[in-house]
Amino acid sequence: MSKTTSTPHMAGTSTDTAETGTNAPRTSISSPQIRVLVSALGARLCGVYLRNPDTGKETNIAVNLIDDAAYLAQDSYIGAVCGRYANRIERSQYRDETGKLIKLAANEGENHLHGGPDGFDRRIWTITAQTETSVTFELTSPDGDQGYPGTLSAQATYSLIADNRLRLEITATCDQPCPVNMTSHAYWNLSGKFDATAADHVLQIDADQWLPVDDKLIPNGPPRDVAGTGYDFRNPAKIADMLPNANQGFDHNFCLTGDRGPLRQIAILSDPTSNRAIKLLSTEAGLQFYLAQHFTDAMKTETGTALHKTAGIALEPQTSPNSVNRPDFPSPWLKPGETYRHVIEWEFDQGR
């Protein structure tokens, strides 16, 4: 199990894994029911360890990798805070409010994904505050970073607001108008066995509509009703059972019910075998559901377990993909003097 540090100011590096590798600073926050391991590399969630109240034994349910080199060697964004703009921007460009064409760095063919080739997931954030139950990371993104205008200041705070409830609050300001869309790219396998499939989990999403995509995973039309499709998770459904009727697989944004802004429940993920569940809450308008099709057996968890294509499920609250080029989608624009704020909460039920 990874070692942790607990000092508020961690500017140096440390060797924190049971295997090899020099890592960015890592630390943990904990409650009687869970321990959360985080890293300054990408303000990354590196493990959520549920504690058996009877035995004290911990089970990690968040997909992680063996060390920082392993995280940097893959493009699945495991556990990271993605930014400035999570998800895809078509042709890596958009026009600002004056009509000027802004060109961004491309990293998925001609498209821009999760902030570009050197996105926030690959940066060393600074730990600026810490208690036993919370830790705050900060990052400054300079004007022109990955093509984005303005100097952006971002902050990500993980906090345990109850024994079984983890909050991530992401805020940002920018001195020029800029699109901002930030999220957590955590992957979950509630069995705690990463060689087992997460496609047997049961998922419920509070969404009446979803966004079909083209062959480059860019939304190619208006939202469509989920009714009668393999994307209808309004009632709890086993993911593997829905997959045959999901003709585009699962890497799509769901248009959530309820108003954007207030914190509300948006999804529940559960595992019938372990009886564990996660209730997901967010302030955002959409939820990207991704079944980990890019995982390979060359990717190893901290315990050395090889991953595979259904080893984890990403549930990423955010605004809609390519919203910079779609005025019919929820707005991603942040102006000087405004503060971007996105709150995500995970409420864990261990079952018994």
Side-chain angles (χ1 to χ4, degrees):
M1 187 174 295
S2 300
K3 293 186 259 182
T4 60
T5 52
S6 59
T7 53
H9 302 290
M10 295 180 281
T13 59
S14 59
T15 303
D16 285 14
T17 65
E19 301 297 326
T20 60
T22 300
N23 297 318
R26 293 184 175 191
T27 191
S28 63
I29 56 176
S30 61
S31 74
Q33 294 186 24
I34 57 177
R35 180 171 65 90
V36 179
L37 179 65
V38 292
S39 167
L41 177 64
R44 188 180 308 269
L45 192 63
C46 289
V48 174
Y49 302 85
L50 303 185
R51 291 172 171 160
N52 184 302
D54 298 323
T55 66
K57 180 182 177 181
E58 292 184 337
T59 300
N60 178 35
I61 60 169
V63 177
N64 59 15
L65 296 180
I66 218 158
D67 58 18
D68 284 1
Y71 284 113
L72 293 171
Q74 52 79 37
D75 60 359
S76 293
Y77 306 89
I78 295 173
V81 170
C82 295
R84 294 187 189 187
Y85 191 98
N87 219 308
R88 294 168 175 87
I89 294 177
E90 186 176 15
R91 298 178 62 193
S92 303
Q93 64 183 31
Y94 67 90
R95 292 192 182 275
D96 68 11
E97 58 187 357
T98 70
K100 177 183 177 182
L101 186 66
I102 305 296
K103 296 287 290 184
L104 305 174
N107 61 323
E108 190 181 58
E110 66 177 356
N111 297 323
H112 179 88
L113 173 65
H114 289 321
D118 188 22
F120 291 179
D121 61 295
R122 306 182 75 82
R123 307 292 175 84
I124 304 297
W125 295 54
T126 300
I127 299 177
T128 57
Q130 184 179 340
T131 69
E132 291 183 357
T133 57
S134 70
V135 58
T136 297
F137 297 94
E138 292 186 0
L139 180 72
T140 299
S141 174
D143 183 27
D145 187 5
Q146 307 300 289
Y148 289 103
T151 298
L152 181 137
S153 298
Q155 185 176 81
T157 298
Y158 292 93
S159 56
L160 291 168
I161 59 171
D163 283 352
N164 67 333
R165 193 159 177 153
L166 174 65
R167 168 181 284 195
L168 171 60
E169 181 170 0
I170 307 170
T171 59
T173 58
C174 194
D175 59 7
Q176 294 185 42
C178 181
V180 179
N181 177 34
M182 297 172 68
T183 191
S184 166
H185 210 303
Y187 291 84
W188 306 99
N189 188 321
L190 298 178
S191 74
K193 300 173 182 177
F194 299 116
D195 54 355
T197 181
D200 287 339
H201 287 12
V202 172
L203 179 62
Q204 183 266 326
I205 302 175
D206 295 329
D208 296 328
Q209 295 183 312
W210 66 294
L211 294 176
V213 295
D214 62 19
D215 59 357
K216 295 180 180 178
L217 299 177
I218 302 292
N220 60 358
R224 295 184 191 173
D225 291 343
V226 299
T229 74
Y231 300 91
D232 189 351
F233 287 94
R234 290 174 296 175
N235 294 310
K238 184 177 177 179
I239 293 167
D241 290 346
M242 301 295 282
L243 193 53
N245 296 316
N247 62 334
Q248 295 188 327
F250 290 129
D251 192 1
H252 294 78
N253 197 267
F254 288 74
C255 306
L256 298 169
T257 58
D259 293 333
R260 185 188 191 190
L263 183 68
R264 67 206 188 281
Q265 179 182 312
I266 61 171
I268 298 175
L269 182 68
S270 60
D271 173 32
T273 301
S274 67
N275 289 322
R276 299 187 183 109
I278 298 175
K279 181 185 296 183
L280 179 63
L281 301 93
S282 170
T283 55
E284 263 297 354
L287 176 68
Q288 189 81 8
F289 163 37
Y290 175 49
L291 185 61
Q293 295 299 288
H294 288 88
F295 284 2
T296 71
D297 58 10
M299 301 163 66
K300 304 291 196 301
T301 70
E302 67 172 355
T303 60
T305 301
L307 296 179
H308 57 92
K309 286 188 176 181
T310 62
I313 292 166
L315 297 171
E316 312 156 53
Q318 56 190 265
T319 190
S320 301
N322 199 35
S323 58
V324 291
N325 295 306
R326 293 288 301 267
D328 55 326
F329 286 176
S331 172
W333 301 107
L334 176 66
K335 296 180 179 180
E338 297 177 340
T339 298
Y340 168 88
R341 180 176 181 265
H342 181 194
V343 175
I344 304 170
E345 290 186 5
W346 301 271
E347 183 177 294
F348 304 98
D349 184 346
Q350 298 208 48
R352 287 298 292 275

